[in-house]
Amino acid sequence: MTNLDDFGGGQHSTEVLVVTTNDVPGHRVDRVIGEVFGLTVRSRNIGSQIGAGFKSLAGGELRGLTKTLVESRNQAMDRLVEQARSRGANAVLAMRFDVTEAGGNGAEICAYGTAAVISPLG
């Protein structure tokens, strides 16, 4: 059986709620702090590149690259949460990921959103 954390991600923090929506049902936005982001740049591993080259000949998932991208996204997300927390937020709204090639040698992964303070209604 495959470890789901190797090929999937998501929120690990319970202190800062991260959502892709503009609001949180049952909560109000008390204060918008502003944009926050978490960034990582990863170079390509020569071993995984060679393996990916062979795998692309036969087709199928490039599991080594998938695992690396998941780790990179999770690191960017952790950095996003840490920045939001350090600015006094308990939520990040409208979170998105952006992935850009970095000079042909790697990838830049950025998690970004709007830091806010939210509280339950009523």
Side-chain angles (χ1 to χ4, degrees), residues 40-104:
T40 186
V41 178
R42 296 287 180 105
S43 64
R44 293 190 174 99
N45 175 313
I46 189 67
S48 66
Q49 286 298 101
I50 292 170
F54 287 129
K55 184 70 173 183
S56 67
L57 296 174
E61 181 183 12
L62 306 174
R63 292 177 70 86
L65 292 177
T66 299
K67 187 174 179 180
T68 299
L69 185 54
V70 167
E71 290 169 355
S72 300
R73 286 174 59 128
N74 286 340
Q75 184 177 48
M77 178 75 112
D78 290 345
R79 290 175 177 174
L80 166 82
V81 167
E82 185 55 39
Q83 187 180 94
R85 182 179 343 178
S86 72
R87 295 181 65 195
N90 67 351
V92 175
L93 308 175
M95 192 283 295
R96 302 287 186 266
F97 281 108
D98 187 32
V99 179
T100 307
E101 187 171 338

